[in-house]
Amino acid sequence: MVLPNILAVLALVCVLSKNGVEASHKIYPRFQTLNVENVKQLHRTGYHFQPPKHWINDPNGKPIQQEHDRFHGLQFFQINPDFDCFMCVNWFVRAAPMYYKGLYHLFYQYNPKGAVWGNIVWAHSVSKDLINWESLEPAIYPSKWFDNYGCWSGSATVLPNGGPVIFYTGIVDEHNSQIQNYAVPANLSDPYLRKWVKPDDNPIVNPDTSVNGSAFRDPTTAWWAEGHWKILVGSRRKHRGVAYLYKSRDFKKWVKAKHPLHSVQGTGMWECPDFFPVSLSGEKGLDPSVMGQNVKHVLKVSLDMTRYEYYTLGTYDKKKDRYFPDEGLVDGWAGLRLDYGNFYASKTFYDPSTNRRILWGWANESDAVQQDKDKGWAGIQLIPRKVWLDPSGKQLLQWPVAELEKLRGHNIQLSHQKLNQGDHVEVKVTTAAQADVDVTFSFPSLDKAEPFDPKWAKLDALDVCAQKGSKAPGGLGPFGLLTLASEKLEEFTPVFFRVFKAADKHKVLLCSDARSSSLGEGLYKPSFAGFVDVDLTDKKLSLRSLIDHSVVESFGAGGRIAITSRVYPTTAVFEKARLFVFNNGSETITVESLNAWSMNKPVMNVPVKS
Ligand code: DQQ
């Protein structure tokens, strides 16, 4: 994979040349405080989360819950004796990002003064359903010696008494020196949690001399184990990515554990670590403090060097405070990803009102900085996804939260539609630029699958996709969707499968290929792709794509793989955008069933009436 390798080297050079001081976002001082006058509507999303203008990045903190969740929690632990969570039963621990008094709270990194990264505060929005959002004033912004140069990412934990606490990284000087702070709501009876206080006994964690103080950030939600609260802080030691572990008995005095929870040589700075349990059976999410026989743990890190994330599944030894990834999993940048496209700084939280674990990810722009400045906005949050463990125990599964379906409007269906080689059939959904499509394809046999070139084993899936694309005729595939397509296909973003036959088994590639997405210039147009581990016995493959003007968020094989692309069509816009199903393989494909819905607009960041 050539590009990420080059990026990795460049990033490393950058890191070294800055004398160890490491910023995770490119800095454009000229544009940092250029307040936006006119926001360009072209390419703004219809139902993905965006503020009215300016730059956004990492989702922070996230939804809190109280009220009836206590009873859900109690029932859950009583009927699950395998889960060993003393504190949960006795105190109803809610160590999670946040849903509070009937509202989900989304905090996110935001520049209130411009459309590029800088002047970072914690912007704050609330929702009853994760889809319709109202905005509030920023919850946390630079105001004290311990965060005067920025309030960077962090997480929320809801304590046993029901009160939420936010941990975040404070930047204390122009060298990006980083410490961990806390903030608490000024008024617990306000469900909007409008005002946050940063007590004077901050910071809670200072880096000791063994820690790289400019690469020490993004504290996790706390969990309870062995008589202590525990959090992770992301870092690096030279080129080794590190998740430092801090412990506390009283949530105030935090002490660094003897060893990091985990670290991996050569992975560079670990941003936004996320550490959580998943149940070995079923789809229900778990509170972060749940341990025991029926549980596996997930450690996800965001790699500053490649701007990709990876995760492992493994075992948490709560006595030794060590995490051991399962054997056979890649523990490095070629490991499993939550999303094989434009998806970064993600974070999960446990939603006790519905017993789900929910994942949020940020998608950056793929255009140039000048274009962001001109359009007056940059960055979106992706649709929140439910995550749970695949029954194989070898990977996570994901699906957009069910609440999204409330936005579905006009519906078009296809069934038993044959697609011969070269066919593309239009799906006449009324708003193809703002749609939700769910399709199942079938094929009579696997015999025509193309041979898998053993040389590709060393390549990233993105490079395999770049070699084969959606147009080169194949055997079983390429078939899938042409999203955000112009009538004559001068522009389109294909999301498609190609099935290969390797020596031992079939390999299924899902691509979301931005190379033909736009006639525009100065854009990053990657051929994002991933291999999906799926049982082909029933000779079916499913695909769901959330299409929203400049984003295509796709879920293959029932959520076994997700890929997000940011694209900027010039002619396939608004009512001119089209949607097609296609097949360029010699094997006939059948669209068993297809549903495409026009998506309505939710309430998007209208200020809360005071
Ligand atoms: N963004 C934040 C950092 C984090 C990075 C700063 C990840 O805390 O490491 O805006 O995108």
Side-chain angles (χ1 to χ4, degrees), residues 24-25 57-58 109 117 152-153 217-218 271 307 344-345:
S24 56
H25 300 273
N57 58 288
D58 322 357
Q109 298 272 283
W117 184 84
W152 287 13
S153 289
R217 56 183 176 268
D218 309 339
E271 298 189 313
R307 304 307 278 176
Y344 196 69

Side-chain angles (χ1 to χ4, degrees), residues 37 123 188 197 258 280 319 405 418 503:
E37 300 301 334
L188 278 175
V197 178
K258 253 197 239 141
L280 284 179
K319 290 210 163 64
E405 293 164 24
K418 291 250 180 289

Side-chain angles (χ1 to χ4, degrees), residues 57-69:
N57 58 288
D58 322 357
N60 294 152
K62 279 168 290 130
I64 315 179
Q65 152 108 3
Q66 207 189 29
E67 290 183 339
H68 50 270
D69 64 295

Side-chain angles (χ1 to χ4, degrees), residues 28-37 53-56 110-121 138 141-142 148 373 376:
Y28 300 93
R30 278 186 309 141
F31 298 149
Q32 236 165 4
T33 46
L34 267 188
N35 197 13
V36 168
E37 300 301 334
K53 60 181 181 177
H54 292 158
W55 164 278
I56 75 171
Y110 178 61
N111 180 355
K113 298 183 181 164
V116 303
W117 184 84
N119 310 301
I120 290 296
V121 305
Y141 44 86
N148 252 336
K373 189 221 134 216

